[in-house]
Amino acid sequence: MSIGSNSPEDEPPFPDVSEEKRPSVGRALKQARIAAGLTVDEISGSTRVRIVIVHAIEADDFAPCGGDVYARGHIRTLAKAVGLDPEPLLAQFAAEHGGGRPAPTPAAPLFEAERIRPERRGPNWTAAMVAAIVVVIGFVGFTAFKGGGDDAKQSVAEGATPSTSEAASPTPKESKPDKAPAPSDSAIAAAPQDKVTVQVSAANGRSWISAKDHNGRMLFDGLLKKGESKTFQDSTKINLILGDAGAIQLYVNGKKIEDQFQPGAVERLTYTKGDPEVG
């Protein structure tokens, strides 16, 4: 008797047939855009997401977005523009790029930035104190020169010493707690009535912002760190894009905008002359 060489036990198992791998986030967005008959320029124009960022996202390169928060906002915006449900794409992005061990890595530089920031503000108060002293001394000198006569100059000079010390001492007390977080209403209200003035302050955290004038000329495009602010002015209108609107406080033509923006939300706003109204 002989044992067959082709018994079922000796045959190799059938290879596993796995499901076809689903497309990446960027490829899914690109395929949907092409299927909708839209170009990158058209998508950029309708969503105001820069062309270079659209190309990068479709290539699954999210570094130009400036962080996961901004990347999720751009994915949501582009998905809606090409007719896709953004939630599955956001879940796929979170599974591939968010959570797990990489999370503690960015926390360290953010903590260091918060800890170092108060140390950098110290020289600013010293400079403000010196500037106040210089202004007082200059005013006293001008008064003495204008009054004329040696006796008048001596009397003014003798009075300058105590007034300088008195003016210098309260300067840090008044400005230390209040002047850094937000501009005064009087300074904002001083904007010309025939122009639109927009001040963007990162009061609650950092945010990427973009600002253009009525001709489409770029006034600013970059990251605004917490505590920083930018002021833009134009004769007709200011166009804004806020990468994380929840971190931003707006002052338009001297008035505070009370809109409750959500953290991580991307907002596109237009402001004109007169009372603050979103265009």
Side-chain angles (χ1 to χ4, degrees):
M1 296 178 62
S2 62
I3 300 175
S5 61
N6 58 347
S7 61
E9 292 80 0
D10 297 334
E11 293 181 357
F14 290 102
D16 293 335
V17 179
S18 59
E19 297 180 355
E20 184 178 356
K21 185 178 179 181
R22 62 180 176 180
S24 63
V25 174
R27 183 167 182 79
L29 290 172
K30 182 176 181 179
Q31 290 175 345
R33 174 180 61 76
I34 295 174
L38 298 173
T39 65
V40 173
D41 289 343
E42 291 172 338
I43 287 293
S44 177
S46 62
T47 63
R48 296 190 180 181
V49 177
R50 290 183 296 164
I51 293 176
V52 65
I53 294 181
V54 175
H55 280 299
I57 290 177
E58 290 187 351
D60 292 303
D61 179 11
F62 301 97
C65 296
D68 289 352
V69 172
Y70 311 112
R72 286 194 293 270
H74 291 321
I75 291 172
R76 184 184 300 276
T77 300
L78 294 177
K80 291 180 179 179
V82 298
L84 291 180
D85 182 4
E87 298 306 325
L89 294 177
L90 292 173
Q92 183 178 351
F93 175 81
E96 295 175 354
H97 299 275
R101 296 181 180 177
T105 302
L110 290 177
F111 176 78
E112 291 296 330
E114 292 295 333
R115 187 174 63 184
I116 294 173
R117 187 174 293 113
E119 298 176 2
R120 294 178 179 174
R121 292 178 181 174
N124 292 336
W125 301 122
T126 302
M129 185 185 305
V130 173
I133 294 174
V134 170
V135 170
V136 172
I137 293 176
F139 177 78
V140 172
F142 175 77
T143 304
F145 177 80
K146 188 175 181 181
D150 295 337
D151 294 336
K153 292 181 181 179
Q154 291 177 357
S155 62
V156 173
E158 292 173 357
T161 302
S163 63
T164 301
S165 60
E166 291 174 3
S169 58
T171 300
K173 294 181 182 179
E174 295 177 0
S175 59
K176 182 177 291 183
D178 299 326
K179 288 186 178 179
S184 63
D185 293 338
S186 61
I188 300 174
Q193 296 294 326
D194 59 342
K195 294 184 179 181
V196 54
T197 302
V198 177
Q199 185 168 65
V200 183
S201 299
N204 302 317
R206 65 179 187 174
S207 174
W208 170 84
I209 68 169
S210 173
K212 296 182 179 179
D213 62 11
H214 72 282
N215 291 321
R217 183 173 61 90
M218 185 68 69
L219 301 177
F220 181 79
D221 184 15
L223 185 64
L224 200 64
K225 297 180 180 179
K226 184 177 180 181
E228 293 182 343
S229 64
K230 291 286 184 182
T231 301
F232 309 106
Q233 194 173 83
D234 188 68
S235 60
T236 305
K237 66 179 180 179
I238 296 293
N239 296 314
L240 291 177
I241 303 178
L242 308 179
D244 185 358
I248 295 300
Q249 178 61 66
L250 295 177
Y251 293 84
V252 179
N253 299 325
K255 295 182 180 180
K256 182 179 180 181
I257 302 300
E258 299 295 344
D259 290 354
Q260 298 297 323
F261 298 128
Q262 296 298 320
V266 178
E267 294 289 342
R268 293 165 178 81
L269 307 169
T270 298
Y271 291 104
T272 58
K273 295 181 291 186
D275 292 335
E277 293 182 359
V278 179

